[in-house]
Amino acid sequence: MYEILVRPCGDYATNCYIVKHELGDIVIDPGKGALSFIKENSNKVLAILNTHGHHDHIWDNKLVAQEFNAPLYTPKDDIFMLKNPFYGFLPSDDIAIAVEDKEELVFNGLKFTFHHFAGHTPGCSMIEFDDVYFSGDFLFERSIGRWDFEFSNADDMVNSLEKAKNLKDDFYLLPGHGNQTKVSLEKPHFDSWIRYIKQC
């Protein structure tokens, strides 16, 4: 059995998740200040997973990796974003292991699958675990990720939303910000978002 813990971290209330299991834990998107939350709730981190490379999701990558001697996995097209020291975080591109679309990672029997949904960032991904998608900044409750940032791409976002129509309806979405939702509740809005993006 497992449980999923969450705490909003940093200035942007970025959700850091811990998948807790008796054999060890998986950390997803350790933002600014996440290390203290993780230390309070885990003594064995098996791995750190990033949904994408924006600074508010990767700020404590290096700190958590050093504290627990844990490997770090990041979508390959976003690893370059882990090296920029402008924001003040410790660069972690030197320790990041590149993950491909549809790549499966298994830790003590816990399987996580990365699904590439570019647009918000070049490597933006959702991470599938059991009946959950950790959706990062691609899908939120009644919203989607922005496509007007540096390295974002509106055409890629449209293509990703079209692709997302094939997601499993009964899966939960655990986003990078805000409340959890379900795929079945968000799919009806995809076409409206696609039209809106094309009109911008």
Side-chain angles (χ1 to χ4, degrees):
M1 294 296 292
Y2 67 88
E3 63 175 327
I4 298 176
L5 307 180
V6 60
R7 179 176 294 176
C9 296
D11 297 337
Y12 300 96
T14 303
N15 289 331
C16 173
Y17 294 96
I18 303 174
V19 179
K20 285 192 63 63
H21 188 272
E22 61 184 2
L23 298 178
D25 308 326
I26 305 297
V27 170
I28 297 171
D29 286 354
K32 190 174 185 179
L35 178 60
S36 60
F37 162 59
I38 297 163
K39 289 171 67 175
E40 289 169 10
N41 292 280
S42 179
N43 55 24
K44 186 179 182 181
V45 173
L46 300 175
I48 306 155
L49 311 182
N50 293 151
T51 59
H52 66 293
H54 276 153
H55 72 277
D56 58 316
H57 292 255
I58 59 91
W59 193 287
D60 276 11
N61 272 353
K62 181 65 74 74
L63 296 177
V64 178
Q66 292 174 339
E67 178 73 22
F68 293 94
N69 192 29
L72 166 68
Y73 297 86
T74 305
K76 68 180 182 67
D77 292 332
D78 277 9
I79 287 181
F80 76 98
M81 304 178 81
L82 278 56
K83 70 172 66 174
N84 187 349
F86 176 80
Y87 295 102
F89 60 80
L90 291 175
S92 54
D93 60 297
D94 58 325
I95 62 170
I97 300 168
V99 183
E100 303 278 352
D101 182 30
K102 296 183 175 60
E103 184 168 347
E104 296 181 354
L105 304 175
V106 181
F107 311 99
N108 284 356
L110 302 175
K111 184 173 75 171
F112 295 80
T113 305
F114 279 69
H115 299 281
H116 188 214
F117 290 95
H120 184 66
T121 65
C124 191
S125 298
M126 299 207 303
I127 302 171
E128 178 181 349
F129 169 72
D130 197 24
D131 62 350
V132 166
Y133 293 119
F134 294 96
S135 58
D137 282 4
F138 173 46
L139 297 177
F140 304 107
E141 182 183 31
R142 304 302 185 273
S143 188
I144 63 172
R146 291 179 61 169
W147 58 90
D148 58 339
F149 289 152
E150 184 179 18
F151 308 121
S152 298
N153 186 287
D155 291 336
D156 287 345
M157 181 63 80
V158 167
N159 291 336
S160 289
L161 286 168
E162 291 286 1
K163 176 182 172 182
K165 293 178 182 179
N166 295 317
L167 292 172
K168 301 168 185 175
D169 284 350
D170 58 340
F171 269 46
Y172 291 93
L173 291 171
L174 273 58
H177 306 269
N179 301 320
Q180 78 172 39
T181 180
K182 292 193 77 170
V183 172
S184 60
L185 298 176
E186 305 309 321
K187 269 189 183 181
H189 306 287
F190 289 175
D191 283 334
S192 295
W193 282 114
I194 290 169
R195 288 193 296 271
Y196 180 76
I197 295 170
K198 289 181 176 180
Q199 292 168 0
C200 291

